[in-house]
Amino acid sequence: AGCSPRGDGDVWERRAVCEAAANEVPRRWRTRSHPKKGTGKEVYAWEQTVDDVNVYVRAPGRCRAKELDVELRKDGIRLALRGNTPYLDHRWSEPIRTSESCWTLEDGVITLALAKRERGKTWKRLLVGQEEFDPVQENEERKRLMLERFQKENPGFDFSGAELTGCCPDASQFMGGVASGT
């Protein structure tokens, strides 16, 4: 087993190694972690800002970047060890700007830095078919993104102690949306 693009060893065995490695995603990312259905193993974790979505996937074994096949499309992702069945092959829940998105491999973690196509929009889930945030979680995420937006648009003010109450609109729609220069 291991991370070999040459095709030696069993494909399913290498995929199991990938899944086992993904279960070791650092705890600081677990606020929005997503276990693989039926296994309870964590496949990836993600977070979002007004402008971006960041996804963290533990790389299998001691892979090098050139051994990975990562395709970031405006509507989805394909992530595999070269020459093997994809580990992730899914559609994003919202489109991205591929020209401003990238991926890196550092310290055994594949980081996908995705530029949201619609700045300020709250993603309710990362991938199509995933369970969405419940209404309370979604509203809390909208509040967090709205405060981030306010801080970007008003750098002279401190919003660190601010609280929004009630139902919060999406930052992409509130008062004309997010300005392109912020």
Side-chain angles (χ1 to χ4, degrees), residues 150-159:
F150 288 162
Q151 186 64 62
K152 282 183 163 207
E153 292 176 352
N154 303 284
F157 293 93
D158 180 10
F159 291 91

Side-chain angles (χ1 to χ4, degrees), residues 36-79:
K36 186 170 183 135
K37 288 186 179 181
T39 66
K41 293 181 180 179
E42 191 167 68
V43 176
Y44 61 88
W46 69 287
E47 62 187 358
Q48 64 181 312
T49 67
V50 169
D51 301 313
D52 304 300
V53 173
N54 296 304
V55 184
Y56 309 101
V57 181
R58 178 71 64 190
R62 294 185 173 150
C63 274
R64 296 179 306 200
K66 68 181 180 179
E67 296 174 314
L68 295 171
D69 182 12
V70 181
E71 181 185 353
L72 297 176
R73 301 179 307 263
K74 71 177 181 177
D75 64 343
I77 180 170
R78 183 181 180 282
L79 171 63

Side-chain angles (χ1 to χ4, degrees), residues 21 23 33 58 63 70 72 77 79 89 93 101 103 108 121 123:
N23 194 34
S33 64
R58 178 71 64 190
C63 274
V70 181
L72 297 176
I77 180 170
L79 171 63
D89 192 2
S93 66
S101 299
W103 66 275
K121 183 166 182 71
W123 285 27

Side-chain angles (χ1 to χ4, degrees), residues 86-101:
Y87 176 57
L88 285 174
D89 192 2
H90 297 283
R91 291 183 51 219
W92 305 124
S93 66
E94 301 289 339
I96 66 167
R97 293 188 314 255
T98 56
S99 64
E100 298 175 36
S101 299

Side-chain angles (χ1 to χ4, degrees), residues 7 11 17 28 43 55 68-69 83 92 99 113 116 121 126 130 141 155 160 166 169 180 182:
V11 170
V17 169
R28 65 188 163 99
V43 176
V55 184
L68 295 171
D69 182 12
W92 305 124
S99 64
K116 291 180 176 179
K121 183 166 182 71
L126 181 67
Q130 251 184 354
E141 192 72 358
S160 61
S180 61
T182 58

